[in-house]
DNA sequence: GGCGGCACGCAAAAGGTTTTGCAGTAGCAT
DNA sequence: ATGCTACTGCAAAACCTTTTGCGTGCCGCC
């Protein structure tokens, strides 16, 4: 294990000079620097990150916490962050928070002081846990849910997106439109529901409580919810699914029942993951710019790390877009 | 910032006793332990990870390095690792290696000493970089490519998988079967090509060099490669794509040209990502158990970390399965 | 040729934990 | 009652880096 001491010796300088060369926080004479750098290369020296961090340095790592990696939306957010982070030589660490819900502080314990900054999509996380993230004393960006105490925040307008897709269905002549959400408690569900209801009201259509069902944000959730909605006597003529995964499950259910989409029932999704355009029939959905969202998060964080921002909380709102395909 | 010192003071014990309670490496009297634990909870103490690591501890982190997060195969591997790691309270850090190819040691520099163990799908990584990973002195599992110097290794049999799917096409009466690979240099490409050729030979069919095309492992690569293959005078009656993403691109190309699948040309994929079953027509493909692969990797690593294994290199081979759908 | 100032490199402290040899004590057996 | 053992907690060293105030040597200018 080659330490800074070895490099110093090899280069014939002091330990502190080596450190200065490495960190660049103080100027070093060109000749000396060259000698030190040569020694570093020759010995293959790398600073021990633990020690660096201990003495007050950065970890050079940014964390992304997502509710699940099974929804392809989130890997894409990670890719977007990479776009910004890789040129800056910062390591991105992606953590799937599914399965670590119980202990409210699991995430904090795992990440505190282990990263320089953090972005989290805090759905399903208890409020206390979110507060902890916010108070961890490092730059933090919340994804899709306004942080309780205020703070940086990247999102798309779920209300307007859901309103847009619902309105589209109404314009296509649908009158009995159901909403199939994921977990009821999470913010995007509530906002998409709100947009759906707003569209109904604006069109003068009744807002019926039994036309709203909540399951999970998975394909399986979609199958289950669709079963509830479709096996009734007066089934809806359209289903607004709260995301594409759910919509895929709805399509499974229609297929299993021999229902034609969109003739018997129209289906719409949300996010525009790749599968949305592939499934048959292709899904009408709302494009949610995952990669761009990732980029925005990373940029926000970087600006804080660079000290360009003081303490004003910033919100980045990215726009969504209705994509009409055959399912409606 | 509450340190171990504060806890010791609050509990009326020495710093080392607190450490012993936390790490559990030495027995502590029950009464004392209770007092210390109470203080820890009350103060919200957490060990500074840098300091712990410095003094010889573990980082409690395992890294997964993937070629890209855009291929949904890899997030699933991560999920599989999580299955095993979460109960053990180990943090998984997923890194997308795309874009950090240039500097051969980027990955090493980023991860060295920052994690306790590592699994990497080292496609596209220079050989030197792979050797570095292997020599980093931490448990290391290679994914899909045998590590040059020997070492733990998880894979599926690409040769047999490709042979199986190609044979399936032959049995369906296809005679002019093309192979559309991703990057030529990476091992899975070579092996899948080998399986394809083996199947042709076994059936007494000619192995024609111009029926083999290499592009990238992306949907766009599939479109390009299919263009090459389909715009010829004597186009093939089947295309074996080296993964599902490529196959999706091939389907795009057939659609653009008004070709019917499988009537005019059959198409097969590899991996069985979710999109494979969704696209129209659904893809015949080889199921590649990503999640199970992730689990196997994590288990291998854990066994080494627990010191259950000395130095014998182990190989885990998981089986694949032909999934016949409408595209063939 | 002498003096002032500047650039450069150094020494030492600090940062928070884990480890380990050691000492004190209580309990048990003789 | 005494000696020994086992258990428990402590003090101090070790881990490796970064930071910062200082001293030294060199250069330029008068």
């Amino acid at each position: 294990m080659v330490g800074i001491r070895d490099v110093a010796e090899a280069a014939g300088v002091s330990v502190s000079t080596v450190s200065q060369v490495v960190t660049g926080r103080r100027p070093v004479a060109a000749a000396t620097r060259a000698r030190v750098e040569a020694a570093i290369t020759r010995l293959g020296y790398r600073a021990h990150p633990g020690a660096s961090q201990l003495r007050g340095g950065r970890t050079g790592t940014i964390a992304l916490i997502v509710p699940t990696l099974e929804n392809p939306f989130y890997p894409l957010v990670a890719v977007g962050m990479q776009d910004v982070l890789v040129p800056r030589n910062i390591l991105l660490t992606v953590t799937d928070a599914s399965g670590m819900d119980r202990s409210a502080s699991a995430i904090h314990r795992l990440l505190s002081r282990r990263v320089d900054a953090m972005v989290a999509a805090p759905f399903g996380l208890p409020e206390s846990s979110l507060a902890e993230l916010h108070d961890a004393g490092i730059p933090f960006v919340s994804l899709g849910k306004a942080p309780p105490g205020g703070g940086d925040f990247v999102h798309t307008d779920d209300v307007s997106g859901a309103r847009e897709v619902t309105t589209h269905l109404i314009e296509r002549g649908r009158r009995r439109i159901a909403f199939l959400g994921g977990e009821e408690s999470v913010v995007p569900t509530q906002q998409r529901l709100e947009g759906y209801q707003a569209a109904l009201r604006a069109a003068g259509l009744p807002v019926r409580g039994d036309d709203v069902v909540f399951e999970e944000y998975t394909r399986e959730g979609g199958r289950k919810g669709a079963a509830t909605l479709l096996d009734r006597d007066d089934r809806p003529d359209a289903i607004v699914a709260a995301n594409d995964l759910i919509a895929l499950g709805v399509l499974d259910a229609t297929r299993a029942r021999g229902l034609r989409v969109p003739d018997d029932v129209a289906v719409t999704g949300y996010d525009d993951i790749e599968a949305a355009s592939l499934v048959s029939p292709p899904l009408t959905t709302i494009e949610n710019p995952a990669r761009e969202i990732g980029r925005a998060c990373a940029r926000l964080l970087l600006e804080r790390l660079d000290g360009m921002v003081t303490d004003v909380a910033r919100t980045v709102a990215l726009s969504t877009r209705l994509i009409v395909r055959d399912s409606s």
Side-chain angles (χ1 to χ4, degrees), chain A residues 139-301:
Chain A
F140 173 63
V141 169
S142 181
L143 201 57
K145 175 178 182 178
D152 288 350
F153 175 36
V154 173
H155 73 132
T156 54
D157 188 340
D158 284 327
V159 178
S160 100
R163 191 194 303 119
E164 194 172 4
V165 73
T166 308
T167 302
H168 159 77
L169 287 170
I170 296 170
E171 285 168 356
R172 287 284 215 257
R174 308 290 164 164
R175 285 297 169 265
R176 184 70 191 283
I177 303 174
F179 179 87
L180 176 43
E183 288 82 355
E184 179 173 6
S185 61
V186 312
V187 172
T189 309
Q190 293 163 359
Q191 303 211 320
R192 289 170 196 181
L193 173 62
E194 188 183 327
Y196 152 83
Q197 293 171 330
L200 291 188
R201 273 193 296 269
L205 291 174
V207 177
R208 307 174 40 147
D210 59 342
D211 277 351
V212 174
V213 174
F214 300 101
E215 290 286 345
E216 279 186 328
Y217 275 110
T218 61
R219 191 167 171 178
E220 179 56 27
R223 278 192 281 258
K224 279 199 229 158
T228 309
L229 290 167
L230 297 176
D231 292 344
R232 296 202 296 224
D233 291 340
D234 57 339
R235 66 171 144 73
D237 57 9
I239 298 180
V240 173
N243 80 354
D244 287 342
L245 250 26
I246 293 177
L248 292 181
V250 173
L251 290 183
D252 292 338
T254 59
R255 219 170 291 126
R257 287 164 179 72
L259 294 170
R260 288 163 309 163
V261 175
D263 307 17
D264 297 324
V265 55
V267 179
T268 64
Y270 207 109
D271 283 349
D272 193 33
I273 62 177
E274 181 161 48
S277 64
L278 297 173
V279 71
S280 173
L283 272 176
T284 291
T285 191
I286 295 287
E287 182 189 51
N288 212 355
R291 192 162 181 162
E292 200 51 60
I293 288 174
R295 290 205 190 99
C297 289
R299 275 193 287 258
L300 246 31
L301 254 23

Side-chain angles (χ1 to χ4, degrees), chain A residues 43-96:
Chain A
L43 273 56
Y45 165 77
R46 329 210 182 264
H48 187 300
S52 305
Q53 184 189 355
L54 181 57
R55 190 54 184 100
R58 297 251 173 93
T59 63
T61 307
I62 288 182
L64 168 66
I65 303 174
V66 300
T68 170
L69 281 170
E70 293 189 73
N71 183 346
F73 178 82
Y74 291 109
L76 257 195
V77 173
V79 170
M81 291 187 66
Q82 289 276 47
D83 290 342
V84 177
L85 263 20
V86 166
R88 287 284 301 262
N89 222 340
I90 293 175
L91 184 64
L92 175 68
T93 194
V94 184
T95 301
D96 179 333

Side-chain angles (χ1 to χ4, degrees), chain A residues 62-66 81 107 111 115-123 125-154 296-305 310-315:
Chain A
I62 288 182
L64 168 66
I65 303 174
V66 300
M81 291 187 66
I107 290 176
L111 293 181
V115 298
D116 296 334
M118 203 158 30
V119 10
F123 313 136
L125 259 51
E127 199 71 15
S128 65
S129 194
L130 182 51
E132 257 186 310
L133 291 181
H134 181 250
D135 299 342
I138 58 177
F140 173 63
V141 169
S142 181
L143 201 57
K145 175 178 182 178
D152 288 350
F153 175 36
V154 173
C297 289
R299 275 193 287 258
L300 246 31
L301 254 23
L302 248 30
E303 283 167 18
R304 285 224 184 266
L305 286 175
T310 52
D311 47 20
V312 41
R314 294 159 305 161
T315 298

